[in-house]
Amino acid sequence: LIDYNKLTKKKGYLGHFIVLTGFTNKYFFYHESGPRNPKPNKKILKKRLMKAWSSKETDRDLIIVYGKK
């Protein structure tokens, strides 16, 4: 669970679940499910995603899915 408004640089709080699809040293990639303009493997700076994830309105929920492709 993240504060989606922190990703989009808007004021207020908007809780949103995202699916991380990859990472590098500088970026996370996630699936943007919508409701408008869904996009796979969207790139976001790690610093911004960590800020959205650690927002005071969230409790740093995390679900890990692991398995073979």
Side-chain angles (χ1 to χ4, degrees):
L1 180 64
I2 61 162
D3 180 352
Y4 191 72
N5 283 346
K6 296 257 190 289
L7 292 188
T8 57
K9 298 181 180 179
K10 294 180 182 175
K11 294 187 183 220
Y13 170 76
L14 179 61
H16 186 66
F17 283 99
I18 61 170
V19 176
L20 296 179
T21 58
F23 63 93
T24 66
N25 287 338
K26 192 173 179 179
Y27 296 99
F28 279 112
F29 298 90
Y30 69 99
H31 177 72
E32 176 55 73
S33 60
R36 289 179 238 121
N37 303 320
K39 182 179 177 183
N41 301 314
K42 194 167 181 179
K43 182 169 69 171
I44 188 79
L45 285 169
K46 280 187 175 181
K47 185 175 182 177
R48 188 181 308 167
L49 181 68
M50 295 307 292
K51 186 175 182 181
W53 185 51
S54 61
S55 175
K56 68 179 181 174
E57 292 87 356
T58 69
D59 56 1
R60 293 188 175 189
D61 290 335
L62 177 67
I63 300 170
I64 298 173
V65 178
Y66 177 79
K68 294 181 181 180
K69 288 186 177 182

